[in-house]
Amino acid sequence: DAMVIQNPRYQVTQFGKPVTLSCSQTLNHNVMYWYQQKSSQAPKLLFHYYDKDFNNEADTPDNFQSRRPNTSFCFLDIRSPGLGDAAMYLCATSRDLARDHQPQHFGDGTRLSIL
Amino acid sequence: GEDVEQSLFLSVREGDSSVINCTYTDSSSTYLYWYKQEPGAGLQLLTYIFSNMDMKQDQRLTVLLNKKDKHLSLRIADTQTGDSAIYFCAESITGGGNKLTFGTGTQLKVEL
């Protein structure tokens, strides 16, 4: 019973060709997060949505954008992928933001390869 | 600043206990989490501890928190081959908007 679903599991794109990764959730959580995880590294937060409010991390490149058309879906758009953007991209959700215990629940990730 | 560190590798024999350690630097941590990541998969929340607790037990998992030394550990009793994975500790900071700072991850290998 997957609650945070990422599609596709594997994505291959060409250098410079825009790509969109998808995340959906059945938890009705307010917050959705996107992380980038490179090989043998910890996940790195790119941005998050609190409801419709978008919050970008200071060091997230402009090449990365996100859209959240409704509560259930969130998209990660990479406008011009470079070789350095090859990574696993993880989506996570939480009910709220730190008012009390708000664990983040992760999807299985999309592994992005750049040719 | 926030910094969370873990040892990179741990190898144990099946049936033994595993202890994965984590140190953190920010004293205003609210919750500390343990996540498990199997190859090619996302992060699975295993357990967590609130920073005013010393210990939490959940079936085969025991979390110990030494707040004075800023040291967190995860003990897995009767380790099985299915426990082979990367284990990340993570902290969330009071007033940090639920942002998680992850450790570097510990690769646990369980040998027969």
Side-chain angles (χ1 to χ4, degrees), chain A residues 16-49:
Chain A
K17 185 173 180 183
V19 66
T20 294
L21 308 182
S22 165
C23 178
S24 64
Q25 53 129 342
T26 59
L27 298 163
N28 206 33
H29 281 176
N30 287 322
V31 192
M32 295 187 78
Y33 309 79
W34 279 105
Y35 290 83
Q36 179 192 64
Q37 186 182 24
K38 295 192 176 179
S39 183
S40 302
Q41 295 184 20
K44 179 177 177 297
L45 182 64
L46 295 173
F47 26 60
H48 74 271
Y49 269 97

Short mmCIF file of all heavy atoms in Angstrom, two decimals, chain A residues 16-49:
data_model
loop_
_atom_site.label_atom_id
_atom_site.label_comp_id
_atom_site.label_asym_id
_atom_site.label_seq_id
_atom_site.Cartn_x
_atom_site.Cartn_y
_atom_site.Cartn_z
N GLY A 16 20.76 18.31 -21.51
CA GLY A 16 20.08 19.53 -21.93
C GLY A 16 18.60 19.38 -22.25
O GLY A 16 17.91 20.38 -22.48
N LYS A 17 18.08 18.16 -22.25
CA LYS A 17 16.66 17.96 -22.59
C LYS A 17 15.81 18.00 -21.32
O LYS A 17 16.04 17.19 -20.41
CB LYS A 17 16.49 16.62 -23.30
CG LYS A 17 15.08 16.39 -23.81
CD LYS A 17 14.98 15.12 -24.64
CE LYS A 17 13.55 14.92 -25.13
NZ LYS A 17 13.41 13.67 -25.89
N PRO A 18 14.82 18.89 -21.27
CA PRO A 18 14.01 19.01 -20.05
C PRO A 18 13.38 17.68 -19.63
O PRO A 18 12.98 16.88 -20.48
CB PRO A 18 12.92 20.02 -20.43
CG PRO A 18 13.49 20.77 -21.58
CD PRO A 18 14.38 19.83 -22.32
N VAL A 19 13.28 17.50 -18.33
CA VAL A 19 12.69 16.26 -17.81
C VAL A 19 11.84 16.60 -16.59
O VAL A 19 12.14 17.55 -15.85
CB VAL A 19 13.80 15.24 -17.46
CG1 VAL A 19 14.68 15.72 -16.32
CG2 VAL A 19 13.21 13.87 -17.14
N THR A 20 10.75 15.86 -16.42
CA THR A 20 9.85 16.05 -15.28
C THR A 20 9.70 14.75 -14.53
O THR A 20 9.44 13.70 -15.12
CB THR A 20 8.46 16.54 -15.75
OG1 THR A 20 8.60 17.84 -16.31
CG2 THR A 20 7.49 16.60 -14.58
N LEU A 21 9.87 14.83 -13.22
CA LEU A 21 9.66 13.68 -12.35
C LEU A 21 8.38 13.92 -11.54
O LEU A 21 8.09 15.06 -11.17
CB LEU A 21 10.86 13.49 -11.40
CG LEU A 21 12.24 13.44 -12.06
CD1 LEU A 21 13.32 13.19 -11.02
CD2 LEU A 21 12.29 12.41 -13.16
N SER A 22 7.69 12.83 -11.25
CA SER A 22 6.36 12.95 -10.65
C SER A 22 6.30 12.30 -9.27
O SER A 22 6.95 11.28 -9.03
CB SER A 22 5.36 12.28 -11.59
OG SER A 22 4.14 12.04 -10.95
N CYS A 23 5.51 12.89 -8.39
CA CYS A 23 5.28 12.33 -7.06
C CYS A 23 3.82 12.51 -6.70
O CYS A 23 3.26 13.60 -6.91
CB CYS A 23 6.16 13.04 -6.03
SG CYS A 23 5.93 12.46 -4.33
N SER A 24 3.20 11.46 -6.18
CA SER A 24 1.84 11.59 -5.68
C SER A 24 1.75 10.96 -4.29
O SER A 24 2.56 10.11 -3.94
CB SER A 24 0.83 10.94 -6.64
OG SER A 24 1.07 9.55 -6.71
N GLN A 25 0.76 11.41 -3.52
CA GLN A 25 0.64 10.89 -2.15
C GLN A 25 -0.84 10.69 -1.82
O GLN A 25 -1.71 11.42 -2.27
CB GLN A 25 1.27 11.88 -1.15
CG GLN A 25 0.76 13.30 -1.27
CD GLN A 25 0.29 13.91 0.02
OE1 GLN A 25 0.02 13.20 0.99
NE2 GLN A 25 0.17 15.23 0.04
N THR A 26 -1.08 9.64 -1.04
CA THR A 26 -2.45 9.32 -0.61
C THR A 26 -2.66 9.66 0.87
O THR A 26 -3.66 9.27 1.45
CB THR A 26 -2.74 7.83 -0.83
OG1 THR A 26 -1.80 7.06 -0.07
CG2 THR A 26 -2.64 7.47 -2.30
N LEU A 27 -1.69 10.35 1.47
CA LEU A 27 -1.73 10.64 2.91
C LEU A 27 -2.46 11.94 3.24
O LEU A 27 -2.69 12.23 4.41
CB LEU A 27 -0.29 10.69 3.46
CG LEU A 27 0.49 9.40 3.34
CD1 LEU A 27 1.99 9.65 3.50
CD2 LEU A 27 0.01 8.40 4.36
N ASN A 28 -2.74 12.73 2.21
CA ASN A 28 -3.37 14.04 2.42
C ASN A 28 -2.50 14.96 3.30
O ASN A 28 -3.02 15.76 4.09
CB ASN A 28 -4.77 13.90 3.03
CG ASN A 28 -5.64 15.09 2.68
OD1 ASN A 28 -5.53 15.68 1.61
ND2 ASN A 28 -6.52 15.47 3.60
N HIS A 29 -1.18 14.82 3.13
CA HIS A 29 -0.26 15.64 3.91
C HIS A 29 -0.12 17.03 3.30
O HIS A 29 -0.19 17.21 2.08
CB HIS A 29 1.12 14.97 3.98
CG HIS A 29 1.17 13.88 4.98
ND1 HIS A 29 2.30 13.08 5.15
CD2 HIS A 29 0.27 13.42 5.89
CE1 HIS A 29 2.07 12.20 6.12
NE2 HIS A 29 0.86 12.39 6.57
N ASN A 30 0.13 18.00 4.18
CA ASN A 30 0.26 19.39 3.73
C ASN A 30 1.60 19.68 3.05
O ASN A 30 1.70 20.57 2.22
CB ASN A 30 0.12 20.35 4.91
CG ASN A 30 -1.32 20.44 5.40
OD1 ASN A 30 -2.25 20.43 4.60
ND2 ASN A 30 -1.50 20.52 6.69
N VAL A 31 2.62 18.96 3.48
CA VAL A 31 3.98 19.31 3.05
C VAL A 31 4.53 18.22 2.12
O VAL A 31 4.40 17.02 2.41
CB VAL A 31 4.94 19.47 4.25
CG1 VAL A 31 6.25 20.12 3.80
CG2 VAL A 31 4.29 20.29 5.35
N MET A 32 5.12 18.66 1.02
CA MET A 32 5.81 17.74 0.11
C MET A 32 7.21 18.27 -0.14
O MET A 32 7.42 19.47 -0.31
CB MET A 32 5.04 17.58 -1.21
CG MET A 32 3.69 16.91 -1.00
SD MET A 32 2.81 16.52 -2.52
CE MET A 32 3.67 15.03 -3.08
N TYR A 33 8.18 17.36 -0.14
CA TYR A 33 9.60 17.70 -0.24
C TYR A 33 10.23 17.00 -1.45
O TYR A 33 9.83 15.87 -1.79
CB TYR A 33 10.38 17.22 0.99
CG TYR A 33 9.83 17.59 2.34
CD1 TYR A 33 8.76 16.90 2.90
CD2 TYR A 33 10.42 18.61 3.09
CE1 TYR A 33 8.27 17.23 4.16
CE2 TYR A 33 9.94 18.95 4.35
CZ TYR A 33 8.87 18.25 4.87
OH TYR A 33 8.40 18.57 6.13
N TRP A 34 11.23 17.62 -2.03
CA TRP A 34 12.07 16.96 -3.03
C TRP A 34 13.52 16.99 -2.55
O TRP A 34 14.04 18.04 -2.15
CB TRP A 34 11.99 17.66 -4.39
CG TRP A 34 10.79 17.29 -5.20
CD1 TRP A 34 9.67 18.03 -5.42
CD2 TRP A 34 10.60 16.08 -5.94
NE1 TRP A 34 8.79 17.36 -6.22
CE2 TRP A 34 9.34 16.15 -6.57
CE3 TRP A 34 11.37 14.92 -6.14
CZ2 TRP A 34 8.82 15.15 -7.37
CZ3 TRP A 34 10.86 13.92 -6.93
CH2 TRP A 34 9.60 14.03 -7.54
N TYR A 35 14.14 15.79 -2.61
CA TYR A 35 15.54 15.63 -2.25
C TYR A 35 16.31 15.10 -3.45
O TYR A 35 15.79 14.33 -4.26
CB TYR A 35 15.71 14.60 -1.13
CG TYR A 35 15.21 15.02 0.23
CD1 TYR A 35 13.87 14.91 0.58
CD2 TYR A 35 16.10 15.53 1.18
CE1 TYR A 35 13.42 15.27 1.84
CE2 TYR A 35 15.68 15.89 2.45
CZ TYR A 35 14.33 15.76 2.77
OH TYR A 35 13.90 16.12 4.02
N GLN A 36 17.59 15.48 -3.52
CA GLN A 36 18.51 14.88 -4.48
C GLN A 36 19.51 14.04 -3.68
O GLN A 36 20.06 14.52 -2.68
CB GLN A 36 19.26 15.99 -5.24
CG GLN A 36 20.28 15.46 -6.25
CD GLN A 36 21.20 16.56 -6.75
OE1 GLN A 36 21.96 17.15 -6.00
NE2 GLN A 36 21.12 16.86 -8.04
N GLN A 37 19.72 12.80 -4.13
CA GLN A 37 20.69 11.94 -3.45
C GLN A 37 21.67 11.38 -4.47
O GLN A 37 21.29 10.57 -5.32
CB GLN A 37 20.01 10.80 -2.71
CG GLN A 37 20.98 9.97 -1.87
CD GLN A 37 20.31 8.81 -1.16
OE1 GLN A 37 19.27 8.32 -1.59
NE2 GLN A 37 20.92 8.35 -0.07
N LYS A 38 22.90 11.81 -4.39
CA LYS A 38 23.94 11.27 -5.26
C LYS A 38 24.54 10.03 -4.61
O LYS A 38 24.39 9.80 -3.41
CB LYS A 38 24.99 12.34 -5.55
CG LYS A 38 24.40 13.50 -6.34
CD LYS A 38 25.44 14.44 -6.90
CE LYS A 38 24.77 15.51 -7.74
NZ LYS A 38 25.74 16.48 -8.31
N SER A 39 25.25 9.28 -5.45
CA SER A 39 25.75 7.98 -5.01
C SER A 39 26.59 8.11 -3.74
O SER A 39 27.47 8.97 -3.65
CB SER A 39 26.59 7.38 -6.14
OG SER A 39 27.04 6.10 -5.79
N SER A 40 26.29 7.25 -2.76
CA SER A 40 27.03 7.18 -1.49
C SER A 40 26.95 8.48 -0.68
O SER A 40 27.83 8.74 0.14
CB SER A 40 28.51 6.83 -1.73
OG SER A 40 28.61 5.61 -2.41
N GLN A 41 25.93 9.26 -0.91
CA GLN A 41 25.76 10.50 -0.14
C GLN A 41 24.41 10.53 0.57
O GLN A 41 23.51 9.77 0.23
CB GLN A 41 25.90 11.72 -1.05
CG GLN A 41 27.28 11.88 -1.65
CD GLN A 41 27.41 13.16 -2.46
OE1 GLN A 41 26.63 14.10 -2.29
NE2 GLN A 41 28.39 13.20 -3.34
N ALA A 42 24.28 11.42 1.50
CA ALA A 42 23.00 11.63 2.17
C ALA A 42 22.07 12.42 1.26
O ALA A 42 22.51 13.16 0.38
CB ALA A 42 23.22 12.39 3.48
N PRO A 43 20.77 12.28 1.44
CA PRO A 43 19.83 13.10 0.67
C PRO A 43 20.03 14.57 0.98
O PRO A 43 20.28 14.96 2.13
CB PRO A 43 18.46 12.63 1.16
CG PRO A 43 18.70 11.29 1.77
CD PRO A 43 20.09 11.33 2.33
N LYS A 44 19.87 15.40 -0.05
CA LYS A 44 20.03 16.85 0.08
C LYS A 44 18.71 17.50 -0.31
O LYS A 44 18.21 17.29 -1.42
CB LYS A 44 21.16 17.32 -0.82
CG LYS A 44 21.43 18.80 -0.82
CD LYS A 44 22.63 19.12 -1.71
CE LYS A 44 22.90 20.60 -1.80
NZ LYS A 44 21.81 21.36 -2.42
N LEU A 45 18.16 18.30 0.59
CA LEU A 45 16.87 18.93 0.33
C LEU A 45 17.02 20.00 -0.75
O LEU A 45 17.88 20.87 -0.68
CB LEU A 45 16.34 19.56 1.61
CG LEU A 45 14.97 20.23 1.53
CD1 LEU A 45 13.88 19.21 1.19
CD2 LEU A 45 14.62 20.96 2.83
N LEU A 46 16.14 19.92 -1.77
CA LEU A 46 16.11 20.93 -2.84
C LEU A 46 15.10 22.03 -2.53
O LEU A 46 15.40 23.22 -2.61
CB LEU A 46 15.73 20.27 -4.17
CG LEU A 46 16.71 19.25 -4.73
CD1 LEU A 46 16.12 18.55 -5.95
CD2 LEU A 46 18.04 19.91 -5.09
N PHE A 47 13.87 21.61 -2.19
CA PHE A 47 12.79 22.55 -1.86
C PHE A 47 11.64 21.79 -1.25
O PHE A 47 11.62 20.54 -1.24
CB PHE A 47 12.28 23.36 -3.06
CG PHE A 47 12.45 22.71 -4.42
CD1 PHE A 47 11.88 21.49 -4.72
CD2 PHE A 47 13.18 23.36 -5.41
CE1 PHE A 47 12.03 20.92 -5.97
CE2 PHE A 47 13.34 22.80 -6.67
CZ PHE A 47 12.77 21.58 -6.95
N HIS A 48 10.70 22.55 -0.71
CA HIS A 48 9.47 21.92 -0.23
C HIS A 48 8.29 22.85 -0.46
O HIS A 48 8.46 24.07 -0.61
CB HIS A 48 9.58 21.51 1.25
CG HIS A 48 9.50 22.65 2.22
ND1 HIS A 48 10.61 23.35 2.63
CD2 HIS A 48 8.44 23.20 2.87
CE1 HIS A 48 10.25 24.27 3.50
NE2 HIS A 48 8.93 24.22 3.66
N TYR A 49 7.10 22.25 -0.51
CA TYR A 49 5.84 22.99 -0.56
C TYR A 49 5.12 22.78 0.76
O TYR A 49 4.95 21.65 1.21
CB TYR A 49 4.94 22.44 -1.67
CG TYR A 49 5.09 23.09 -3.01
CD1 TYR A 49 5.89 22.54 -4.01
CD2 TYR A 49 4.41 24.28 -3.31
CE1 TYR A 49 6.02 23.13 -5.24
CE2 TYR A 49 4.53 24.88 -4.55
CZ TYR A 49 5.34 24.30 -5.51
OH TYR A 49 5.47 24.89 -6.73
#
